[in-house]
């Protein structure tokens, strides 16, 4: 009989844990799945190209951020670019290259990083971030770099946390 009570107690506790987990998510608490790593955005260069820009190294910006910026958006993110409100499942990719300059042109050289913003209403600021160094899926930047992304994007209140604007 003791074994039966212990088993019943464990089943009850497990049920309460599941119900509590569901209730906390319903109340706006972070989803445990939000800690799942953001996957590398395979095929992102076939998404909509939002814009490109060249940021030169200088005293007002970090050299890690300088370079040729290419921004890509999946279909849900394009809804956000057009309406100003980014829906769940919106993903924006920031593809960053070093560049060389000649008299005629700027040319991309080595890829510095592929950074990803993924809309997640359970995340602080409504977005999750990841940075893949050198564009390599196995080279994640780490928590400190991701915290820097979040801190900067939290300041952008006009664009729903997004700095870029779609260039038609």
């Amino acid at each position: 009989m003791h074994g039966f009570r212990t088993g019943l107690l464990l089943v009850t506790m497990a049920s309460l844990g599941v119900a509590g987990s569901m209730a906390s998510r319903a109340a706006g608490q972070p989803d445990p799945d939000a800690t799942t790593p953001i996957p590398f955005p395979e095929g992102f260069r076939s998404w909509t190209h939002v814009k490109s820009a060249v940021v030169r190294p200088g005293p007002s910006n970090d050299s890690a951020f300088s370079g040729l910026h290419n921004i890509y958006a999946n279909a849900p993110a394009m809804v956000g670019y057009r309406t100003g409100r980014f829906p769940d499942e919106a993903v924006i990719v920031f593809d960053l290259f070093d560049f060389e300059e000649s008299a005629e042109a700027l040319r991309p050289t080595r890829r510095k990083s592929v950074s990803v913003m993924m809309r997640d209403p359970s995340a602080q600021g409504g977005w999750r971030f990841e940075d893949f160094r050198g564009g390599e899926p196995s080279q994640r930047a780490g928590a400190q770099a991701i915290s820097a992304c979040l801190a900067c994007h939290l300041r952008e209140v006009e664009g729903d946390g997004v700095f870029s604007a779609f260039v038609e």
Side-chain angles (χ1 to χ4, degrees):
M1 188 64 127
H2 179 69
F4 173 76
R5 284 187 189 155
T6 302
L8 183 59
L9 178 61
L10 289 174
V11 167
T12 302
M13 288 173 60
S15 297
L16 288 173
V18 168
S21 173
M22 290 169 60
S24 70
R25 272 185 253 152
Q29 295 299 316
D31 186 339
D33 291 337
T35 59
T36 304
I38 292 175
F40 186 81
E42 298 291 343
F44 71 88
R45 291 183 71 162
S46 66
W47 297 357
T48 302
H49 177 252
V50 174
K51 73 179 226 174
S52 293
V54 173
V55 176
R56 296 180 188 279
S60 64
N61 79 32
D62 182 346
S63 65
F65 193 68
S66 67
L68 174 61
H69 297 209
N70 294 298
I71 310 293
Y72 298 90
N74 69 358
M78 287 309 300
V79 169
Y81 277 112
R82 290 189 171 99
T83 66
R85 300 296 307 164
F86 289 81
D88 295 357
E89 300 177 14
V91 178
I92 300 169
V93 175
F94 170 52
D95 196 13
L96 177 60
F97 290 85
D98 268 333
F99 65 90
E100 61 184 25
E101 192 168 355
S102 69
E104 303 85 35
L106 294 171
R107 291 186 180 84
T109 57
R110 78 173 175 92
R111 177 176 271 137
K112 293 172 80 169
S113 67
V114 170
S115 299
V116 180
M117 287 180 68
M118 178 183 289
R119 187 65 158 169
D120 181 347
S122 70
Q124 184 180 2
W127 292 96
R128 292 177 54 217
F129 299 88
E130 184 58 81
D131 184 71
F132 299 93
R133 301 288 184 199
E136 294 295 326
S138 63
Q139 299 298 311
R140 293 175 183 270
Q144 186 175 6
I146 302 313
S147 292
C149 294
L150 176 62
C152 194
H153 283 272
L154 283 176
R155 293 189 300 240
E156 181 51 49
V157 294
E158 294 296 315
D160 201 14
V162 177
F163 293 104
S164 56
F166 180 58
V167 178
E168 296 273 353

